[in-house]
Amino acid sequence: MVDESYYNGTKLGFDLAQLAYNDSEINRKKANEMVDRFLHTGFRYFDTGSIYPASEIMIRKTLVERHPRNRYTLAARLFATLLPTEKSAKMELDASLEKIGVKYFDYYILHSLAKRNYNKNADAHLWNFLSEEKTKGRIRHYGFFHRDSPERLDQILTEHPDADFVQLQINYADWEDIHVRAKDNYLVARKHGKAVVASEPLKGGTLIHPPYKVQNIFDEVDWNASYASWAFRFVASLEGVHIVLSKISSLRQMEELLSYIEKYRPLNAKERHAFQRIQELKK
């Protein structure tokens, strides 16, 4: 099980990937302000990955070199499709720890785990590698990002109950989608008692301005609430979802996000019914 103290009772995770593409002095200053604001509000979960090397550099310069290690938790990714052996996985972990400038990651995520590479990862002993690195203290918790069928997720969690958490793509637009099957995957993760990290709560930004029929349903319930806030609160209200991961590219976006996450409240019965009505629109 995941030590929930690492989440610090918060729901929001910060992905710096979009900021990292422009490493100018002006952009760095903006990133520093955003990191400081995020921490000051009481949030602490930051996400990066070796496939985005600029993100690792940005994390080091804006977070690691400016704040004590006990102020934040750091999640990194091991890209399963690119690492065919346990040796290459260790080299990847070594490189990420050195580049970012830390001795351990709080969360380490086996990324892109799907049918096409699941057996390959098992053959490469990557699960043993994760367990050994956790024993060494270089990983505090490990899990995987799943974007496949709930049947596959059930298989993985049955064969690897040692996984501490699962990262899933969850948003209300995909909740009952027959291809994404977000709801079914979420229920499998909960059946196995796993903590959930949720990504894509805004579905790539499309839920900031949802279809007019959806807007009308939200407006009937709360005219003043932004559509983005509805999307975040839907995901954050799910039992077992500890982190809602967001890509934030401006201080304005962060302030808007913090305005409804900082004083987060779960959905009430009337609000849950609004989402049920939205799901009915698709049938």
Side-chain angles (χ1 to χ4, degrees):
M1 297 296 291
V2 174
D3 179 359
E4 296 188 11
S5 66
Y6 274 98
Y7 293 105
N8 200 30
T10 66
K11 287 279 187 179
L12 185 61
F14 188 1
D15 183 347
L16 276 74
Q18 290 181 328
L19 285 172
Y21 290 113
N22 180 10
D23 193 21
S24 66
E25 183 176 348
I26 294 176
N27 198 56
R28 183 90 52 76
K29 182 179 179 181
K30 179 176 69 172
N32 287 345
E33 292 175 352
M34 293 172 66
V35 166
D36 294 350
R37 179 75 175 92
F38 191 78
L39 289 171
H40 178 74
T41 309
F43 300 111
R44 57 187 294 176
Y45 187 103
F46 292 84
D47 180 90
T48 187
S50 59
I51 200 169
Y52 310 115
S55 174
E56 292 185 319
I57 295 172
M58 179 68 78
I59 283 279
R60 178 168 188 153
K61 292 179 179 178
T62 63
L63 179 67
V64 174
E65 294 180 352
R66 300 178 59 249
H67 295 280
R69 186 65 178 89
N70 62 1
R71 285 287 312 281
Y72 57 87
T73 57
L74 196 56
R77 300 164 189 268
L78 180 69
F79 282 81
T81 56
L82 304 179
L83 297 162
T85 67
E86 186 174 353
K87 180 179 180 181
S88 62
K90 182 180 183 303
M91 291 174 62
E92 187 74 10
L93 174 61
D94 291 344
S96 289
L97 289 170
E98 182 177 358
K99 186 177 294 183
I100 296 174
V102 294
K103 295 182 178 179
Y104 65 90
F105 290 123
D106 300 278
Y107 305 99
Y108 207 51
I109 304 163
L110 190 58
H111 197 73
S112 297
L113 197 63
K115 180 178 180 179
R116 64 183 181 276
N117 60 19
Y118 175 60
N119 290 332
K120 182 177 72 174
N121 287 304
D123 293 341
H125 305 293
L126 292 188
W127 292 98
N128 292 337
F129 160 76
L130 293 172
S131 179
E132 290 171 2
E133 293 296 339
K134 182 176 180 178
T135 300
K136 295 176 183 176
R138 300 208 303 169
I139 298 171
R140 296 293 175 87
H141 304 99
Y142 62 84
F144 59 96
F145 177 53
H146 181 79
R147 192 158 54 187
D148 204 329
S149 70
E151 292 80 13
R152 177 69 59 177
L153 178 59
D154 190 56
Q155 176 192 356
I156 295 172
L157 290 177
T158 299
E159 295 177 356
H160 300 283
D162 49 304
D164 296 305
F165 64 95
V166 180
Q167 182 169 323
L168 300 172
Q169 178 177 314
I170 301 179
N171 55 69
Y172 70 80
D174 291 332
W175 188 238
E176 295 187 11
D177 184 275
I178 61 174
H179 301 292
V180 180
R181 302 182 69 182
K183 178 181 179 180
D184 294 336
N185 275 315
Y186 163 77
L187 292 176
V188 169
R190 295 307 299 151
K191 181 186 78 170
H192 286 269
K194 300 303 178 183
V196 174
V197 175
S199 60
E200 295 294 340
L202 293 177
K203 194 175 173 62
T206 60
L207 299 186
I208 296 175
H209 300 290
Y212 286 116
K213 289 183 179 180
V214 174
Q215 293 183 25
N216 290 336
I217 291 175
F218 288 146
D219 291 344
E220 289 176 16
V221 179
D222 187 348
W223 180 265
N224 294 315
S226 71
Y227 304 126
S229 70
W230 277 101
F232 270 95
R233 290 183 59 231
F234 173 83
V235 178
S237 295
L238 295 170
E239 182 180 359
V241 171
H242 293 283
I243 294 294
V244 183
L245 190 60
S246 177
K247 292 181 180 179
I248 310 170
S249 58
S250 71
L251 191 58
R252 181 189 61 79
Q253 286 181 2
M254 173 166 285
E255 292 296 349
E256 179 183 357
L257 183 58
L258 293 177
S259 70
Y260 47 81
I261 293 293
E262 187 177 5
K263 298 179 181 180
Y264 158 78
R265 57 182 175 81
L267 297 174
N268 58 36
K270 188 175 182 180
E271 292 166 334
R272 289 195 298 271
H273 181 64
F275 283 107
Q276 292 173 6
R277 291 172 60 194
I278 290 170
Q279 296 303 326
E280 288 296 324
L281 291 175
K282 302 178 181 180
K283 298 180 179 179

